[in-house]
Amino acid sequence: MAGVGEAASILTLAIFAFDISKKLYEAVSSFESRRTDILEVQNSLTSLASVLDLVRQQIQDSGDERKYEPLRQPMQCCKSTCEDMQNMLDACTQHTNDVHASVRDWLKMQFHGKSFADMKQRLASYKSTLSIAFASINIQDHRATQESLTEMKGLIKGTKEDLNDQVEKVEEAIHDAAESLQDRLRADSAQLKGALQTLAQAQQVASTTRPQIVVKQNRAGKDSRAIFGTDVLQSPFDLRVSGNVAEERATMAAGVHSSESLQALLRASGKPEVVLVMQTLQGQLRRPDTDMPQDGTSRSELITAKEQHARTI
């Protein structure tokens, strides 16, 4: 497995990267150090191993490795960073059994022009890039909520800023570095820029994906009105309605409704059992797996639902 590289299958790379991150985590944990820097690395490695394990399982279950090719670059970055950190650690421990001295030396060590702090930051940024790329693949297969899209965009923005700072730092270091280190630093810069390209692809997915709400298996009782949708012409979400039942003389409506249509439906009802699930649905984008509240109102609070219950899943 030591020769795993760019030509390896995406599944093989995921397995190898997981094994390396786990091995490094176990080595770092053996120090039993409570130093902040060590704990932060442990947390990053724990998170990275969890993501890589999910990636491995999902690739195996899907049987379609090509779909996960966007993960290759960030996984390769995570793998190489873990390898470098392991090499640094080995260099600090091979001549001594003094744990405290080994940790102290590791934190102070320079490796291929990078410090421990550089490595730690690189690991966190690459792990975040991998998580974002993985989420961008999954968000296209599952119903996205407004909350998940907003969270993804925030993670992209923060990780992009971190990577840009690191690119700038490496580019400055290249000019001052010894000739023997310049090629290595250029390779680091290329990896960082590759991670930024991965983020750009994820940003495109986040920007073009519309959140969805599914309203199904509701029942409009006799002589009642049930209205699902929005009174905003350019709705920020997609509404899917299925399996709903309207009883005798009941009316169900779903979609974008004009003010005139709403007023007509309300006047025609003559009863209080009208469910007007309008702008409330937009709040439901943040809680996609819970039932709608029994009291739902439109933006203009035209009416309060008394008996009907809208279920969203």
Side-chain angles (χ1 to χ4, degrees):
M1 298 285 286
V4 170
E6 294 184 2
S9 72
I10 195 71
L11 178 58
T12 299
L13 180 57
I15 294 171
F16 192 49
F18 172 80
D19 289 342
I20 291 175
S21 65
K22 183 179 178 183
K23 178 184 176 183
L24 179 59
Y25 173 80
E26 291 171 349
V28 175
S29 298
S30 69
F31 288 148
E32 298 182 352
S33 173
R34 304 306 297 173
R35 289 174 180 260
T36 300
D37 284 332
I38 301 298
L39 293 177
E40 288 177 350
V41 168
Q42 285 180 288
N43 289 335
S44 290
L45 289 169
T46 299
S47 179
L48 174 59
S50 296
V51 174
L52 288 167
D53 196 35
L54 287 173
V55 169
R56 176 190 59 78
Q57 292 178 25
Q58 198 160 304
I59 294 174
Q60 288 177 327
D61 293 342
S62 72
D64 181 12
E65 293 196 24
R66 292 175 299 176
K67 176 180 177 181
Y68 297 91
E69 276 298 319
L71 303 182
R72 179 178 294 277
Q73 199 277 343
M75 280 202 295
Q76 188 69 41
C77 290
C78 291
K79 180 182 78 71
S80 62
T81 301
C82 286
E83 288 174 332
D84 283 350
M85 295 190 81
Q86 184 69 60
N87 289 334
M88 286 178 70
L89 186 57
D90 291 343
C92 294
T93 59
Q94 61 183 346
H95 299 303
T96 179
N97 293 321
D98 186 337
V99 171
H100 296 294
S102 296
V103 172
R104 184 180 63 249
D105 291 345
W106 194 31
L107 295 178
K108 294 179 179 179
M109 187 177 182
Q110 289 279 332
F111 186 79
H112 294 316
K114 297 187 290 294
S115 67
F116 178 89
D118 294 332
M119 293 282 199
K120 184 182 71 170
Q121 187 178 27
R122 202 72 50 85
L123 178 64
S125 296
Y126 287 152
K127 182 265 297 180
S128 181
T129 302
L130 175 60
S131 298
I132 290 167
F134 189 42
S136 71
I137 290 174
N138 287 328
I139 211 166
Q140 298 174 75
D141 297 331
H142 303 90
R143 180 162 56 91
T145 66
Q146 185 63 59
E147 184 177 36
S148 65
L149 290 171
T150 300
E151 181 180 4
M152 178 184 288
K153 291 175 182 178
L155 288 173
I156 291 172
K157 183 176 184 294
T159 305
K160 181 179 178 180
E161 290 173 352
D162 289 341
L163 288 170
N164 277 324
D165 288 345
Q166 292 171 66
V167 169
E168 184 177 345
K169 184 176 181 180
V170 173
E171 294 290 340
E172 290 175 354
I174 290 174
H175 296 293
D176 300 326
E179 187 174 349
S180 58
L181 281 177
Q182 288 183 358
D183 287 344
R184 187 80 184 198
L185 290 172
R186 290 191 183 96
D188 287 341
S189 179
Q191 277 198 334
L192 289 165
K193 291 175 181 177
L196 285 168
Q197 291 176 357
T198 298
L199 291 181
Q201 295 170 0
Q203 180 68 62
Q204 178 67 17
V205 171
S207 299
T208 57
T209 300
R210 286 168 59 87
Q212 293 185 9
I213 292 179
V214 178
V215 179
K216 73 174 187 178
Q217 297 178 348
N218 295 284
R219 180 177 296 276
K222 185 177 180 180
D223 295 320
S224 68
R225 303 290 185 270
I227 306 170
F228 305 110
T230 179
D231 51 358
V232 177
L233 292 180
Q234 294 183 339
S235 171
F237 58 85
D238 291 331
L239 178 65
R240 300 287 183 267
V241 183
S242 66
N244 300 285
V245 177
E247 294 185 358
E248 184 180 0
R249 294 189 300 277
T251 297
M252 264 191 174
V256 178
H257 310 285
S258 67
S259 298
E260 293 76 11
S261 296
L262 291 175
Q263 292 291 347
L265 285 168
L266 293 172
R267 286 195 300 269
S269 70
K271 297 185 67 177
E273 302 92 350
V274 178
V275 179
L276 195 59
V277 187
M278 303 293 288
Q279 290 296 95
T280 308
L281 277 178
Q282 295 191 40
Q284 196 65 15
L285 287 166
R286 295 184 292 275
R287 295 178 291 112
D289 297 318
T290 58
D291 289 341
M292 289 292 294
Q294 283 190 299
D295 289 331
T297 60
S298 70
R299 178 175 52 187
S300 53
E301 297 185 353
L302 294 173
I303 194 166
T304 300
K306 299 297 184 181
E307 297 178 4
Q308 295 296 323
H309 190 68
R311 292 165 54 90
T312 66
I313 64 172

